[in-house]
Amino acid sequence: SSDLTFNRTALAERVVNGINGIKVNSYKKMSSAIINLINNKSMQKKLSNNAIILSKKFSWQTIASYWHNYLKKIYLDENKLIT
């Protein structure tokens, strides 16, 4: 599940061009990139595998754990408690 996105969208912040997706600047380049991906199975696999790896950084469990630890640290710092 790789990403094909325009350079000016929010998704573009997460896409590393040629690593986990493809960024384009025009509809013409978008259509060209789609055709290239259709014809290049190894590139599809590479982008897909790297996108899956990146997506794990944004799983519910990862984000919940981050916020739990962050809020716990704030609480402990404000209350000067030691665990």
Side-chain angles (χ1 to χ4, degrees):
S1 127
S2 59
D3 296 309
L4 181 59
T5 186
F6 282 99
N7 242 345
R8 58 184 175 266
T9 65
L11 184 57
E13 295 175 7
R14 300 286 181 238
V15 172
V16 179
N17 196 37
I19 303 297
N20 63 349
I22 299 173
K23 295 181 187 181
V24 296
N25 294 316
S26 70
Y27 290 108
K28 186 173 183 176
K29 289 181 181 181
M30 173 77 74
S31 63
S32 177
I34 291 169
I35 291 167
N36 288 338
L37 275 175
I38 289 169
N39 294 319
N40 189 338
K41 300 294 182 197
S42 66
M43 179 61 86
Q44 287 177 26
K45 187 144 184 87
K46 172 188 167 186
L47 296 177
S48 181
N49 288 339
N50 289 334
I52 290 167
I53 291 167
L54 176 67
S55 73
K56 291 179 182 178
K57 292 181 182 179
F58 302 100
S59 72
W60 187 93
Q61 185 175 1
T62 300
I63 299 300
S65 177
Y66 167 81
W67 277 103
H68 172 78
N69 292 333
Y70 178 73
L71 294 172
K72 182 178 176 182
K73 181 183 180 321
I74 290 172
Y75 175 80
L76 294 175
D77 286 349
E78 286 180 359
N79 292 293
K80 308 265 189 265
L81 299 175
I82 299 175
T83 59

